Amino acid sequence: EKLNTIRGFKELSPEEYMEILRFITFQSERTELSKTKIKQATQQMVEMIMKPLMKSDKNLMKNVSAEDIDKLKISNPSDFLYSILLSLISNILLSDLIPVILINKTDKDFIFSDNPVVLYNPTYDNGNNSFRGFQSPALLVFCPMSSNKCLMLFDSEYYNIIVDKNNFHYITDPNEILKINRLQFHNCLDNIYYGSQSQKDVVDNLSKDFFSKYKKEEQLALTKTAKHVSDPHRELVIFSSRGIPEKILFSFLKYGKMKTRTPLMRNKRICDL
């Protein structure tokens, strides 16, 4: 509520700002979409790691067959709660991003979905490789606050934006609002919400255009293997979420260049903390 009424970020204490970041990390992980993704990742871990380990156990295999293991359904009832716990202590991972409040001065409202906090990476992201972790280089975060305000966090190594003395940026082009709203479609599970009946046609048209080009993917979690950097005889199993397949560029942002070698994180000191 206070963030919606402030005239600048200087009105917030460091503790209040960190609580806003905690809200963002918590909100991004508490949704049904996040729960579905975590459950899928757990099942992929069972298939890729646990079942092969079981089959390699000679004592176990004396009593069961490989077919028995293949039929096993193994779940972790606490996996979603664990991700929620992590989200509550992950706010520090966003603390190096620059906050801006986008002020909507158009006749198109900001909308939000059932998964409203959007982590987006137009620099490195694509449909099959997601760079949308809290410490991913070139990350953008969008969190709609009302029909005319949206909090944006950005990595200043890759982006720049013109703001006033309060770190506000005023958007007068309705197409830019529609682009931000389009991210809500990419990010949602089932539902899109808007604040007034006057926006119904706008949202319907955006929906028709979106679903004419994209379908909702049922597989939200992705798993792949990679060679260990320091030991070529070992493999890493990497879990990630599906990326946003559409490259949406905003005219109010200035874009830097992609690094020749993608960094693993923005700030190692923060990750160590």
Side-chain angles (χ1 to χ4, degrees):
E1 184 178 343
K2 185 172 182 178
L3 185 61
N4 236 328
T5 57
I6 60 170
R7 291 167 293 181
F9 286 97
K10 292 180 180 179
E11 295 181 17
L12 297 173
S13 69
E15 292 76 18
E16 287 175 322
Y17 182 66
M18 289 303 291
E19 283 306 306
I20 289 170
L21 297 184
R22 194 190 311 277
F23 166 79
I24 291 174
T25 55
F26 174 64
Q27 177 59 48
S28 71
E29 296 298 323
R30 66 177 287 273
T31 63
E32 189 66 29
L33 184 141
S34 180
K35 184 177 183 179
T36 302
K37 181 176 64 179
I38 292 295
K39 296 296 181 186
Q40 288 181 0
T42 298
Q43 291 309 308
Q44 291 171 17
M45 182 174 68
V46 166
E47 297 299 325
M48 291 188 68
I49 301 174
M50 294 184 67
K51 289 186 178 181
L53 284 174
M54 294 170 72
K55 290 177 182 179
S56 68
D57 187 326
K58 293 180 179 179
N59 291 327
L60 176 64
M61 296 309 291
K62 291 177 182 177
N63 301 305
V64 298
S65 67
E67 289 75 16
D68 292 331
I69 293 176
D70 288 336
K71 293 176 184 177
L72 275 177
K73 299 293 183 184
I74 304 173
S75 62
N76 180 356
S78 302
D79 52 8
F80 181 53
L81 293 177
Y82 182 64
S83 72
I84 291 291
L85 174 62
L86 284 177
S87 75
L88 290 171
I89 61 174
S90 293
N91 54 336
I92 192 174
L93 297 176
L94 296 179
S95 61
D96 59 327
L97 296 178
I98 307 300
V100 173
I101 293 181
L102 302 176
I103 307 294
N104 180 0
K105 305 296 285 186
T106 78
D107 61 348
K108 305 291 190 294
D109 289 353
F110 285 126
I111 62 174
F112 66 98
S113 74
D114 50 18
N115 193 45
V117 173
V118 179
L119 306 178
Y120 182 46
N121 196 328
T123 301
Y124 292 112
D125 210 359
N126 61 53
N128 296 316
N129 291 294
S130 175
F131 290 85
R132 293 195 288 152
F134 294 142
Q135 261 289 311
S136 291
L139 183 68
L140 293 173
V141 180
F142 293 92
C143 180
M145 299 157 49
S146 68
S147 62
N148 67 341
K149 288 183 181 179
C150 178
L151 175 63
M152 182 183 75
L153 309 176
F154 70 93
D155 181 355
S156 59
E157 285 287 315
Y158 290 83
Y159 313 106
N160 201 356
I161 184 174
I162 296 174
V163 296
D164 66 11
K165 63 180 180 180
N166 300 314
N167 263 37
F168 289 5
H169 178 84
Y170 296 85
I171 299 178
T172 57
D173 183 351
N175 289 321
E176 298 303 299
I177 303 300
L178 295 177
K179 290 178 187 178
I180 295 173
N181 288 345
R182 196 173 180 86
L183 289 174
Q184 292 293 329
F185 276 89
H186 279 292
N187 217 48
C188 81
L189 183 64
D190 294 310
N191 300 302
I192 293 288
Y193 305 96
Y194 50 95
S196 63
Q197 188 65 25
S198 63
Q199 296 298 309
K200 183 179 185 305
D201 289 343
V202 176
V203 176
D204 283 346
N205 290 334
L206 191 60
S207 175
K208 289 174 184 176
D209 181 62
F210 177 83
F211 286 109
S212 69
K213 298 173 183 175
Y214 301 97
K215 65 176 183 178
K216 281 298 175 185
E217 298 285 351
E218 293 185 4
Q219 192 62 48
L220 302 174
L222 299 176
T223 309
K224 61 183 179 180
T225 58
K227 292 295 182 183
H228 197 284
V229 175
S230 58
D231 186 350
H233 300 292
R234 295 170 61 196
E235 277 190 335
L236 296 173
V237 178
I238 301 171
F239 296 96
S240 67
S241 58
R242 186 174 292 280
I244 291 176
E246 182 179 10
K247 189 154 189 169
I248 299 175
L249 299 178
F250 303 100
S251 64
F252 54 81
L253 281 179
K254 294 181 179 178
Y255 294 82
K257 292 183 179 180
M258 181 187 297
K259 309 290 187 200
T260 305
R261 184 175 180 181
T262 309
L264 293 176
M265 63 196 81
R266 293 191 306 273
N267 189 313
K268 186 177 184 303
R269 185 178 65 85
I270 287 177
C271 289
D272 290 342
L273 285 173

